[in-house]
């Protein structure tokens, strides 16, 4: 796996930029880096990005080949410290995309599927360099931070962003929470605020609210998988976009309340409170990470269960079958364990929010029925599937 630059370094480059490019890398954007016999060299840039003012205008420099448009740019790659003479090439007879060549091979080698190419157009050039790029592996913490900071939807492919708009929106939300807490301290109602924010809503509550928002946005009355054109995409949107947004807001309030409670125990001596409260603070942030992961799993289950119910599909959830507890048995365990039944009379549906190696747990038990695996993890290649 290619090592991503640390988040603080990525953030510094982003705030120095007047425009940002984020592209989710497809297999053909980086497979060349893992294959010495591949003649392609660099990622593709979509037509919409090519037509914007992020890159310089392409020109035809060879009248005998009027279908080739190109431009040369100097690019900076902060993760490796390299300055490259890169080329932008558009072959008008081969499609609408542009090809960015002259890039560091190591930046694209060994990347996990659904990784990111993040770049910026600097406000002030560094020498002759206006463009910088960093690849971010999808399994890294930095990838999760990119998705969160830019609120990237599950079906995101590429986009241009104004860093001022992105960071000012997050700043405004944070300032509002700071003002609310400060007001509570000033009025002596901090205890009431802490009590109100002491619990994050259960996953079932957030899941139901996210489903209702999705139904309203799409003018639907039910999540019937037989009536939805792409039920899998619906689950991705509800779980990874709508519900996660709801969760982030609730989590920020809850964790802020926890931290304030810890550091105000020692009175007005903030330094002493932080030092003495470090074990509790550390436990709080560790808990935040663990809760986030378990919440994602339960969220996925809630949404699949809603699809099955609205589709009037009979199922039994979290039923024990010998030494295993599959997420869903259809129609029920009684049918599954019947001594006499056909292969098609029962099936098991197992859910994994992330695949990694955990998918191998699924087929451990032989139950004489079809077994289906569902995931919202797009960080896996078609070959691996």
């Amino acid at each position: 796996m290619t090592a991503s630059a640390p988040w603080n370094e990525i953030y510094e480059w982003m705030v120095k930029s007047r425009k940002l490019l984020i592209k989710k890398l497809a297999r053909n954007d980086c497979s060349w880096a893992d294959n010495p016999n591949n003649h392609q060299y660099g990622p593709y840039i979509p037509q919409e990005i090519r037509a914007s003012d992020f890159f310089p205008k392409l020109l035809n420099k060879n009248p005998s080949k009027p279908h080739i448009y190109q431009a040369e740019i100097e690019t900076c790659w902060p993760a490796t410290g390299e300055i490259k003479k890169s080329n932008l090439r558009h072959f008008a007879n081969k499609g609408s995309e542009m090809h960015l060549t002259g890039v560091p091979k190591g930046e694209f080698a060994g990347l996990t599927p659904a990784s990111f190419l993040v770049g910026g157009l600097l406000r002030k050039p560094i020498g002759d360099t206006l463009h910088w790029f960093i690849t971010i592996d999808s399994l890294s913490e930095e990838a999760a931070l990119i998705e969160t900071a830019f609120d990237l939807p599950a079906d995101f492919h590429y986009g241009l962003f104004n860093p001022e708009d992105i960071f000012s929106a997050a700043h405004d939300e944070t300032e509002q929470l700071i003002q609310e807490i400060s007001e509570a301290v000033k009025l002596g109602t901090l205890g009431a605020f802490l009590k109100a924010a002491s619990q994050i809503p259960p996953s079932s509550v957030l899941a139901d609210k996210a489903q209702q928002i999705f139904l309203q946005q799409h003018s639907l009355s039910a999540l019937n998988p037989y009536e939805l054109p792409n039920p899998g995409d619906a689950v991705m949107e509800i779980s990874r976009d709508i519900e996660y947004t709801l969760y982030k807001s609730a989590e920020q309030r809850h964790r802020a309340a926890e931290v304030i409670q810890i550091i105000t125990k020692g009175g007005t001596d903030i330094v002493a409170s932080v030092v003495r409260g470090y074990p509790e603070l550390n436990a709080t942030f560790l808990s935040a990470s663990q809760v986030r992961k378990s919440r994602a799993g339960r969220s996925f289950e809630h949404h699949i269960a809603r699809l099955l119910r609205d589709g009037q599909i009979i199922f039994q959830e979290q039923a024990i079958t010998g030494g295993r507890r599959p997420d869903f048995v259809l129609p029920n365990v009684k049918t599954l364990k019947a001594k006499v039944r056909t292969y098609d009379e029962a099936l098991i549906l197992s859910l994994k929010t992330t695949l990694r190696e955990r998918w191998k747990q699924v087929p451990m038990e032989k139950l004489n029925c079809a077994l289906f695996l569902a995931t919202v993890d797009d960080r896996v290649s078609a070959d691996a599937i």
Side-chain angles (χ1 to χ4, degrees):
M1 185 176 83
T2 301
S4 296
W7 174 251
N8 61 332
E9 184 176 344
I10 298 171
Y11 182 83
E12 287 176 6
W13 281 92
M14 288 195 295
V15 296
K16 290 190 292 187
S17 306
R18 59 184 176 89
K19 190 166 289 187
L20 298 173
L21 162 66
I22 302 178
K23 181 181 190 293
K24 186 176 285 188
L25 293 168
R27 186 61 188 150
N28 66 349
D29 287 316
C30 46
S31 59
W32 56 271
D34 299 312
N35 182 0
N37 298 319
N38 196 318
H39 297 297
Q40 180 186 327
Y41 192 68
Y44 286 106
I45 305 298
Q47 189 273 336
E48 289 82 358
I49 307 299
R50 173 174 65 82
S52 72
D53 61 353
F54 185 83
F55 290 109
K57 185 177 180 180
L58 305 187
L59 301 172
N60 174 250
K61 298 182 178 181
N62 187 348
S64 65
K65 296 182 178 180
H67 61 286
I68 300 178
Y69 295 82
Q70 61 188 45
E72 294 181 356
I73 59 171
E74 194 170 87
T75 58
C76 176
W77 300 80
T80 62
E82 294 178 80
I83 300 293
K84 303 286 288 186
K85 295 290 185 182
S86 302
N87 291 286
L88 299 164
R89 293 180 182 274
H90 169 53
F91 295 86
N93 61 340
K94 292 185 178 181
S96 60
E97 291 185 311
M98 175 174 67
H99 200 189
L100 175 62
T101 62
V103 301
K105 184 176 182 179
E107 282 281 292
F108 293 85
L111 287 173
T112 308
S115 293
F116 292 107
L117 174 67
V118 178
L121 182 59
L122 293 168
R123 298 178 188 280
K124 296 180 180 180
I126 300 175
D128 294 327
T129 307
L130 271 173
H131 294 84
W132 62 270
F133 295 97
I134 293 174
T135 57
I136 301 177
D137 194 275
S138 60
L139 293 182
S140 67
E141 291 184 7
E142 287 75 19
L145 290 169
I146 285 289
E147 290 176 338
T148 300
F150 292 88
D151 200 19
L152 302 183
D155 60 352
F156 175 81
H157 292 292
Y158 59 84
L160 290 174
F161 301 87
N162 183 337
E164 288 185 355
D165 293 342
I166 297 296
F167 298 129
S168 64
H171 176 75
D172 290 345
E173 188 175 340
T174 301
E175 286 300 315
Q176 183 177 347
L177 180 58
I178 291 172
Q179 184 176 351
E180 188 177 344
I181 296 172
S182 299
E183 192 72 14
V185 173
K186 182 180 178 181
L187 298 175
T189 58
L190 182 60
F193 174 85
L194 296 176
K195 185 177 180 180
S198 62
Q199 295 293 329
I200 297 176
S203 61
S204 58
V205 173
L206 289 174
D208 183 65
K209 189 172 183 179
Q211 291 164 10
Q212 295 308 314
I213 292 173
F214 177 85
L215 291 172
Q216 291 173 4
Q217 289 178 345
H218 295 272
S219 301
L220 297 170
S221 59
L223 289 177
N224 187 337
Y226 296 112
E227 296 177 354
L228 293 170
N230 297 291
D233 291 348
V235 172
M236 292 281 277
E237 182 179 341
I238 297 169
S239 178
R240 287 183 47 174
D241 296 346
I242 301 173
E243 185 180 345
Y244 187 52
T245 299
L246 296 173
Y247 177 79
K248 282 189 298 181
S249 179
E251 181 192 46
Q252 186 179 32
R253 293 179 65 84
H254 172 64
R255 296 303 172 186
E258 279 192 331
V259 170
I260 290 166
Q261 197 167 31
I262 292 169
I263 64 176
T264 53
K265 286 180 180 178
T268 57
D269 191 340
I270 299 298
V271 174
S273 297
V274 170
V275 174
R276 293 194 179 104
Y278 174 76
E280 286 186 81
L281 290 169
N282 186 48
T284 293
F285 294 123
L286 179 61
S287 171
S289 176
Q290 292 171 336
V291 169
R292 202 174 293 133
K293 292 176 182 176
S294 62
R295 180 212 65 85
R298 285 299 298 150
S299 159
F300 192 19
E301 292 172 22
H302 290 313
H303 301 315
I304 294 296
R306 176 68 185 269
L307 284 178
L308 296 175
R309 283 195 300 270
D310 287 5
Q312 299 184 4
I313 300 165
I314 301 171
F315 68 95
Q316 190 170 345
E317 194 172 359
Q318 294 292 324
I320 298 175
T321 60
R324 298 279 163 186
R325 189 191 293 268
D327 297 299
F328 297 98
V329 175
L330 285 71
N332 50 50
V333 173
K334 182 179 179 181
T335 304
L336 179 70
K337 292 185 174 182
K339 292 182 179 179
V340 179
R341 67 165 172 82
T342 65
Y343 181 87
D344 294 331
E345 286 183 279
L347 66 84
I348 285 176
L349 174 58
S350 183
L351 313 183
K352 302 291 181 188
T353 50
T354 57
L355 291 181
R356 309 285 178 91
E357 296 297 305
R358 296 177 64 242
W359 65 269
K360 293 180 180 179
Q361 300 169 5
V362 176
M364 296 290 284
E365 195 171 347
K366 304 299 181 183
L367 293 168
N368 186 37
C369 69
L371 190 152
F372 290 84
L373 173 62
T375 185
V376 287
D377 190 355
D378 59 357
R379 298 169 175 84
V380 59
S381 68
D383 289 342
I385 292 174

